[in-house]
Amino acid sequence: MLFGGAGSRFSFGVFLKPVTEEFDWSRGSLAGALAIAGLATGGLRPVAGMLADRYDPKIIAVSGVLLGGLALAGMSFVQELWHVYVLFVIMGIGGTLASPGAVAKIVGAWFTRRRALAMSVAGTGSAVGESSMVPIAALAVAFIGWREGYLILAGILLFLILPLVVLLLRS
């Protein structure tokens, strides 16, 4: 979950230039979508943590991965700047639901001995996602286009990570 969330979030820079050039938007206006999504994510993290405490964290995490993947897929169809803002907020909500809060609840419930080590290993997923998905996105944008790049990232979340979360995560 952290692999896909961090990887897709940190891929923003790869898409900035081709998207702004296609639509003749300023980079600042497009970066504003990322800023608003960041504010939504930051503001909703405590809510996501409360939801993971109160309800099944697996359901919360699956919902987050699904929302993030669908929003990434939606990015391949944008035509207006406001589409980007809406989709980035949805991505932010998805990333928040499948965030370290849900991971902490799940890992904390699974491990009593060496819990800190387990949390560290889980957190490594973010760094691995950033260092692998950003180059994948860059290659996709360079060779097939930015819309297809977003579809590839969406495919990774929806067809690789989501099934793993559904199959491997225990309530």
Side-chain angles (χ1 to χ4, degrees), residues 21-48:
E21 287 178 351
E22 179 171 327
F23 294 107
D24 199 31
W25 296 333
S26 73
R27 290 184 184 182
S29 65
L30 192 60
L34 186 64
I36 289 174
L39 289 171
T41 298
L44 292 174
R45 281 253 168 117
V47 174

Side-chain angles (χ1 to χ4, degrees), residues 3 11 14-15 129-142 149 152-153 156:
F3 171 93
S11 296
V14 170
F15 297 97
E130 294 164 18
S131 61
S132 58
M133 286 183 67
V134 173
I136 290 169
L139 288 170
V141 168
I152 288 171
L153 293 183
I156 291 170

Side-chain angles (χ1 to χ4, degrees), residues 137-164:
L139 288 170
V141 168
F143 290 105
I144 56 177
W146 69 267
R147 292 180 188 276
E148 293 79 5
Y150 271 119
L151 286 175
I152 288 171
L153 293 183
I156 291 170
L157 258 69
L158 296 172
F159 300 112
L160 177 66
I161 294 170
L162 184 61
L164 288 173

Side-chain angles (χ1 to χ4, degrees), residues 9 31-45 85 88-93 96:
R9 185 174 55 254
L34 186 64
I36 289 174
L39 289 171
T41 298
L44 292 174
R45 281 253 168 117
Y85 278 74
F88 267 64
V89 168
I90 293 169
M91 270 189 262
I93 293 168
T96 301

Side-chain angles (χ1 to χ4, degrees), residues 39-109:
L39 289 171
T41 298
L44 292 174
R45 281 253 168 117
V47 174
M50 289 182 340
L51 290 172
D53 278 337
R54 184 175 185 139
Y55 302 105
D56 184 353
K58 178 178 180 175
I59 293 170
I60 304 302
V62 166
S63 301
V65 174
L66 183 62
L67 276 175
L70 292 174
L72 283 167
M75 282 298 296
S76 69
F77 299 103
V78 298
Q79 296 297 323
E80 303 289 335
L81 186 59
W82 70 268
H83 298 161
V84 176
Y85 278 74
V86 169
L87 289 168
F88 267 64
V89 168
I90 293 169
M91 270 189 262
I93 293 168
T96 301
L97 294 175
S99 72
V103 171
K105 173 71 174 180
I106 293 163
V107 173

Side-chain angles (χ1 to χ4, degrees), residues 53 57 100-120 122 169-170:
D53 278 337
V103 171
K105 173 71 174 180
I106 293 163
V107 173
W110 283 4
F111 295 91
T112 53
R113 291 179 342 126
R114 299 198 168 155
R115 185 175 288 157
L117 175 62
M119 289 295 296
S120 298
L169 220 59
R170 291 178 286 149

